[in-house]
Amino acid sequence: MSTEYNYDEQGQFFPYFILTITGLITFPLTYSLLKPSKDPENTAPRIHSDFKPPHADLVEGQKRKQKRRERKLKRMIAVTVGYLLMGYMLYLIAVTAKTIPKIWDPYDILGISRSSTEGQIKSYYKGLALKYHPDKIKPNPALNETIELLNERFSEMTKAFKALTDEEIRNNYIQYGHPDGKQSFSMSIALPKFLISGGNGKYVLAVYGLLLGVLLPYIVGKWWYGTQSVTKEGVLIASAGNLFREYEDKINEGGIVYALSSGEELKQCLERDRAEYGLAKIEGRILAKDETGVSRGLTEKEGKKLDDLDSGVRRKALGLLWAYLGRVELGDPVLEDGMEKAEVAPIAYALNESFTTVALAYCNTEPILSSFRTTQNIIQAMPPNSSPLLQLPYITERIARTIEGGSRSHMTVQQFMGFKDEKRRKIAVGQGLLTESQYNTAITVAKQLPLLRVEKAFFKVMGERFITPGSLVQFVVKARIVPPGATPPEVNELDLEDIDPEEDDLDALHGRKKSGKSKDGKKATANDKPSLPPLAHAPYYARDHSPRWFVFLADNKQGKMVVPPFTIVSLDKEIFDEQGNQTFSMQTLKMQFQAPPQAGEYPFVMHLLSDSYVGMDTEMDVTLTVDETAKAEKMAAEDEISEPDEDSLAGQMNALKAGSIGAPSKKSKKKTKEETSDDESDTEGEEEEASDTDTDTDTDTDGE
């Protein structure tokens, strides 16, 4: 027996091979392109405003550039080519003649029935031998017959006859499917023969070498080293190291801006043909003492840090950061049109995410708060310690100071919107201030900002009345989205309760649905879909950003974070109804942590911070009370002690004290129910009467 290797000369199997390989690549790529995006930036609603800041076209250009990156153009091209190639392979499969291997069958060769006897087979074979023996027949040129063809046909007939009459040859046929015993088999390679014929084999080997020896290692190596060179926040390892070295326990927002300028991503963004172009003009603009400079952001200390930098690229990066935060006009068409000022903001945002991770590792409250506030400043393009009113359209630093009336403390958007419309117009509209149209635009935006107002915050342990040492504590925050200037309805006290789910309600236990009370006080569960807040109103920021909130607990005495931040991306109830109006629904936010190992009272400060808006943070004092385990068990046991029976002397004395000796108690009604149940008869009428008594008793009990 021998083995033969054949090539697909007719192209019968080659299309199947290419179709399979191409499909294995194309179908997963297609799914990755067509699956709905879960990013909040692509699904969240938007704040309605027609405000366009200076150089809005550059900001929009950066957004379009980012969206083009997210469209995965290379993947789309690969999918298109894949489907074209698959279509061509299907065409080849349809038009290529298929060669079907023929099974050796002696009955078919002789042309006789399978039910023929041995005598009939011998008689029929004699007739065929007289007719088709090479000595008896001559080739027919009209049928393209040759002597070799006639000899081969008669030889097959002889083999077929012997396979049916000779016992040894018949055994070979039964066992191996052929009278000659085991036959050689061939293996077909699904490649056309022309690929290796005529000296083309070396090119095929070269292609295999490039694919397996060069391209595949390059792709794997690029992926591997790419994942190893960045952190989970998506910044370079080198940048994270620089930020770690810049960290200080008392660092403020200005110091963080200085630290962000050490990021390698900013250097890569600016290292072009003219990396240091316009550096002197940028520094002159941001250090100006008039209104065009960053009067409330870049302090003398920060300005000195800028002067002490030796690297021109880093100085330019830091200067562009301050120019962006201060909304400073650079006065140079090349600098403005180069989009460098718009490019640095998203990079700085990613770097600040990494710096926040460093600050959280140290657990110092001040740097953590500064990093979160720096995120707000980057999103809103505002220098540190500036007026929150700058978030509203058309309000500049000078107009904000006029509205605040020279106060040392800044006015928040909530305070501004808390004034009556007449007073707001008086302090905001006029010569050198806002026009009527600009005022209306600012008020429209202010009324849409998602302010998360905390209504109640408390600690609890699921299924327990007391918090004991080492137990798993839930910190529950009840809050509502109340835009500045809105008048929400009164809080329903039932909405402030947090009801534990039933033990067998796995969906509620795992947070897939919320439990609470309905308006009538009965236990209910809500299956509301998560609701996304509107995208941040950030006209200067060259990205669409979905607001997030962070909740963490801190110990002000030690200046340390106690419980790490819990991130809130979506809310558990709808913010808007079908008509687009505010629902003011009570939202439930929860975070879990382990209780301290010792009993006592632990005063904490809850910080709820927005990453998108300035001046809309909440700071609240909360106290965690941890009871001794023995005390909690004793109080729980006392609660389980039942009241004395009414028939006993103690029960009558208790009824006299309560002044309700004539009123039936719950226990007596329960006893009546049990007696009624015991006296049930086997008759249908009595069963119905007993059933009616049970229903009435239950109703009365519920009513009480």
Side-chain angles (χ1 to χ4, degrees), residues 621-652:
D621 293 329
V622 291
T623 301
L624 172 63
T625 301
V626 181
D627 295 314
E628 294 284 357
T629 304
K631 178 183 176 182
E633 292 176 352
K634 180 180 179 182
M635 296 181 68
E638 290 178 356
D639 292 339
E640 293 177 358
I641 298 177
S642 59
E643 297 180 0
D645 292 336
E646 190 180 44
D647 295 339
S648 65
L649 179 61
Q652 294 178 2

Short mmCIF file of all heavy atoms in Angstrom, two decimals, residues 621-652:
data_model
loop_
_atom_site.label_atom_id
_atom_site.label_comp_id
_atom_site.label_asym_id
_atom_site.label_seq_id
_atom_site.Cartn_x
_atom_site.Cartn_y
_atom_site.Cartn_z
N ASP A 621 -21.60 65.07 57.07
CA ASP A 621 -21.13 64.32 58.24
C ASP A 621 -22.05 63.12 58.48
O ASP A 621 -23.27 63.26 58.54
CB ASP A 621 -21.11 65.21 59.48
CG ASP A 621 -20.07 66.32 59.38
OD1 ASP A 621 -19.04 66.09 58.73
OD2 ASP A 621 -20.30 67.41 59.94
N VAL A 622 -21.47 61.95 58.62
CA VAL A 622 -22.22 60.73 58.92
C VAL A 622 -21.49 59.99 60.03
O VAL A 622 -20.26 60.08 60.16
CB VAL A 622 -22.35 59.82 57.67
CG1 VAL A 622 -23.25 60.46 56.63
CG2 VAL A 622 -20.99 59.51 57.07
N THR A 623 -22.24 59.28 60.86
CA THR A 623 -21.66 58.56 61.99
C THR A 623 -22.03 57.09 61.90
O THR A 623 -23.22 56.74 61.79
CB THR A 623 -22.16 59.14 63.33
OG1 THR A 623 -21.79 60.52 63.41
CG2 THR A 623 -21.53 58.40 64.50
N LEU A 624 -21.04 56.25 61.97
CA LEU A 624 -21.23 54.80 61.97
C LEU A 624 -21.20 54.31 63.41
O LEU A 624 -20.19 54.46 64.11
CB LEU A 624 -20.14 54.11 61.14
CG LEU A 624 -20.11 52.59 61.20
CD1 LEU A 624 -21.38 51.99 60.63
CD2 LEU A 624 -18.88 52.05 60.45
N THR A 625 -22.30 53.74 63.86
CA THR A 625 -22.40 53.21 65.22
C THR A 625 -22.29 51.69 65.17
O THR A 625 -23.12 51.01 64.56
CB THR A 625 -23.73 53.61 65.87
OG1 THR A 625 -23.83 55.04 65.89
CG2 THR A 625 -23.81 53.09 67.30
N VAL A 626 -21.25 51.18 65.81
CA VAL A 626 -21.00 49.74 65.86
C VAL A 626 -21.27 49.26 67.28
O VAL A 626 -20.63 49.74 68.23
CB VAL A 626 -19.56 49.41 65.43
CG1 VAL A 626 -19.33 47.90 65.46
CG2 VAL A 626 -19.27 49.96 64.05
N ASP A 627 -22.22 48.36 67.44
CA ASP A 627 -22.59 47.83 68.75
C ASP A 627 -21.83 46.55 69.05
O ASP A 627 -21.43 45.81 68.14
CB ASP A 627 -24.10 47.55 68.80
CG ASP A 627 -24.92 48.83 68.67
OD1 ASP A 627 -24.58 49.81 69.35
OD2 ASP A 627 -25.89 48.84 67.88
N GLU A 628 -21.67 46.31 70.36
CA GLU A 628 -21.07 45.05 70.79
C GLU A 628 -21.96 43.89 70.35
O GLU A 628 -23.19 44.00 70.35
CB GLU A 628 -20.90 45.03 72.30
CG GLU A 628 -19.90 46.03 72.84
CD GLU A 628 -18.46 45.60 72.60
OE1 GLU A 628 -18.27 44.48 72.07
OE2 GLU A 628 -17.56 46.37 72.94
N THR A 629 -21.35 42.79 70.01
CA THR A 629 -22.11 41.64 69.56
C THR A 629 -23.06 41.14 70.64
O THR A 629 -24.23 40.81 70.37
CB THR A 629 -21.16 40.51 69.13
OG1 THR A 629 -20.27 41.00 68.12
CG2 THR A 629 -21.94 39.33 68.57
N ALA A 630 -22.59 41.10 71.89
CA ALA A 630 -23.43 40.62 72.99
C ALA A 630 -24.62 41.54 73.20
O ALA A 630 -25.75 41.09 73.44
CB ALA A 630 -22.61 40.50 74.27
N LYS A 631 -24.39 42.84 73.12
CA LYS A 631 -25.48 43.80 73.31
C LYS A 631 -26.52 43.66 72.21
O LYS A 631 -27.73 43.69 72.47
CB LYS A 631 -24.92 45.22 73.33
CG LYS A 631 -25.97 46.30 73.48
CD LYS A 631 -25.35 47.68 73.42
CE LYS A 631 -26.43 48.76 73.48
NZ LYS A 631 -25.82 50.12 73.37
N ALA A 632 -26.06 43.50 70.97
CA ALA A 632 -26.98 43.35 69.85
C ALA A 632 -27.81 42.07 70.00
O ALA A 632 -29.01 42.06 69.74
CB ALA A 632 -26.21 43.34 68.53
N GLU A 633 -27.17 40.98 70.45
CA GLU A 633 -27.90 39.73 70.63
C GLU A 633 -28.92 39.84 71.76
O GLU A 633 -30.03 39.31 71.67
CB GLU A 633 -26.91 38.60 70.92
CG GLU A 633 -26.03 38.23 69.73
CD GLU A 633 -25.01 37.17 70.09
OE1 GLU A 633 -24.89 36.85 71.30
OE2 GLU A 633 -24.32 36.67 69.17
N LYS A 634 -28.55 40.56 72.84
CA LYS A 634 -29.47 40.73 73.96
C LYS A 634 -30.70 41.53 73.54
O LYS A 634 -31.84 41.17 73.85
CB LYS A 634 -28.75 41.42 75.11
CG LYS A 634 -29.63 41.65 76.33
CD LYS A 634 -28.85 42.34 77.44
CE LYS A 634 -29.75 42.59 78.65
NZ LYS A 634 -29.01 43.31 79.73
N MET A 635 -30.49 42.62 72.80
CA MET A 635 -31.61 43.45 72.36
C MET A 635 -32.48 42.69 71.37
O MET A 635 -33.71 42.83 71.37
CB MET A 635 -31.08 44.74 71.74
CG MET A 635 -30.33 45.62 72.73
SD MET A 635 -29.75 47.17 71.99
CE MET A 635 -31.30 47.99 71.70
N ALA A 636 -31.86 41.89 70.52
CA ALA A 636 -32.65 41.10 69.57
C ALA A 636 -33.49 40.06 70.31
O ALA A 636 -34.63 39.79 69.94
CB ALA A 636 -31.72 40.42 68.57
N ALA A 637 -32.92 39.46 71.37
CA ALA A 637 -33.67 38.48 72.15
C ALA A 637 -34.85 39.12 72.87
O ALA A 637 -35.93 38.55 72.97
CB ALA A 637 -32.75 37.79 73.15
N GLU A 638 -34.65 40.33 73.38
CA GLU A 638 -35.73 41.03 74.05
C GLU A 638 -36.87 41.34 73.09
O GLU A 638 -38.04 41.32 73.46
CB GLU A 638 -35.21 42.31 74.69
CG GLU A 638 -34.29 42.07 75.89
CD GLU A 638 -33.74 43.36 76.46
OE1 GLU A 638 -34.02 44.42 75.85
OE2 GLU A 638 -33.05 43.32 77.49
N ASP A 639 -36.52 41.66 71.87
CA ASP A 639 -37.56 41.95 70.88
C ASP A 639 -38.39 40.73 70.56
O ASP A 639 -39.55 40.83 70.14
CB ASP A 639 -36.93 42.50 69.60
CG ASP A 639 -36.33 43.88 69.83
OD1 ASP A 639 -36.75 44.54 70.80
OD2 ASP A 639 -35.45 44.27 69.03
N GLU A 640 -37.79 39.54 70.73
CA GLU A 640 -38.50 38.31 70.39
C GLU A 640 -39.43 37.83 71.50
O GLU A 640 -40.22 36.92 71.31
CB GLU A 640 -37.50 37.21 70.06
CG GLU A 640 -36.72 37.48 68.78
CD GLU A 640 -35.69 36.41 68.52
OE1 GLU A 640 -35.57 35.49 69.36
OE2 GLU A 640 -35.00 36.48 67.48
N ILE A 641 -39.32 38.41 72.72
CA ILE A 641 -40.20 38.00 73.83
C ILE A 641 -41.62 38.45 73.52
O ILE A 641 -41.88 39.62 73.30
CB ILE A 641 -39.71 38.61 75.16
CG1 ILE A 641 -38.30 38.09 75.48
CG2 ILE A 641 -40.69 38.29 76.28
CD1 ILE A 641 -37.72 38.69 76.74
N SER A 642 -42.56 37.53 73.56
CA SER A 642 -43.94 37.85 73.20
C SER A 642 -44.66 38.49 74.37
O SER A 642 -44.26 38.37 75.54
CB SER A 642 -44.68 36.57 72.77
OG SER A 642 -44.67 35.64 73.83
N GLU A 643 -45.78 39.19 74.06
CA GLU A 643 -46.60 39.79 75.09
C GLU A 643 -47.34 38.69 75.86
O GLU A 643 -47.63 37.62 75.32
CB GLU A 643 -47.60 40.75 74.45
CG GLU A 643 -46.93 41.92 73.75
CD GLU A 643 -47.96 42.84 73.12
OE1 GLU A 643 -49.17 42.53 73.26
OE2 GLU A 643 -47.57 43.84 72.52
N PRO A 644 -47.71 38.95 77.15
CA PRO A 644 -48.43 37.92 77.93
C PRO A 644 -49.83 37.70 77.38
O PRO A 644 -50.43 38.60 76.80
CB PRO A 644 -48.48 38.53 79.33
CG PRO A 644 -48.29 39.99 79.13
CD PRO A 644 -47.40 40.14 77.94
N ASP A 645 -50.36 36.46 77.55
CA ASP A 645 -51.70 36.14 77.07
C ASP A 645 -52.73 36.98 77.80
O ASP A 645 -52.61 37.29 78.99
CB ASP A 645 -51.99 34.66 77.30
CG ASP A 645 -51.13 33.78 76.41
OD1 ASP A 645 -50.68 34.27 75.34
OD2 ASP A 645 -50.92 32.62 76.79
N GLU A 646 -53.79 37.34 77.07
CA GLU A 646 -54.83 38.19 77.64
C GLU A 646 -55.57 37.48 78.77
O GLU A 646 -56.07 38.11 79.71
CB GLU A 646 -55.81 38.62 76.54
CG GLU A 646 -56.78 39.69 76.98
CD GLU A 646 -57.72 40.07 75.85
OE1 GLU A 646 -58.20 39.15 75.17
OE2 GLU A 646 -57.95 41.27 75.65
N ASP A 647 -55.66 36.14 78.72
CA ASP A 647 -56.40 35.39 79.73
C ASP A 647 -55.66 35.33 81.05
O ASP A 647 -56.26 35.05 82.09
CB ASP A 647 -56.69 33.97 79.24
CG ASP A 647 -57.61 34.00 78.02
OD1 ASP A 647 -58.31 35.01 77.84
OD2 ASP A 647 -57.60 33.01 77.25
N SER A 648 -54.38 35.55 81.03
CA SER A 648 -53.60 35.49 82.27
C SER A 648 -53.72 36.80 83.04
O SER A 648 -54.16 37.82 82.52
CB SER A 648 -52.14 35.19 81.96
OG SER A 648 -51.58 36.27 81.23
N LEU A 649 -53.30 36.76 84.33
CA LEU A 649 -53.36 37.96 85.16
C LEU A 649 -52.45 39.04 84.62
O LEU A 649 -52.80 40.23 84.59
CB LEU A 649 -52.96 37.59 86.60
CG LEU A 649 -52.93 38.76 87.62
CD1 LEU A 649 -54.33 39.38 87.74
CD2 LEU A 649 -52.44 38.28 88.98
N ALA A 650 -51.24 38.62 84.15
CA ALA A 650 -50.31 39.61 83.58
C ALA A 650 -50.88 40.25 82.33
O ALA A 650 -50.72 41.44 82.09
CB ALA A 650 -48.97 38.93 83.27
N GLY A 651 -51.60 39.44 81.56
CA GLY A 651 -52.20 39.99 80.35
C GLY A 651 -53.29 40.99 80.66
O GLY A 651 -53.41 42.02 80.00
N GLN A 652 -54.13 40.72 81.72
CA GLN A 652 -55.18 41.67 82.08
C GLN A 652 -54.59 42.95 82.64
O GLN A 652 -55.09 44.05 82.37
CB GLN A 652 -56.11 41.00 83.10
CG GLN A 652 -56.90 39.83 82.51
CD GLN A 652 -57.79 39.17 83.54
OE1 GLN A 652 -57.86 39.60 84.70
NE2 GLN A 652 -58.47 38.10 83.13
#
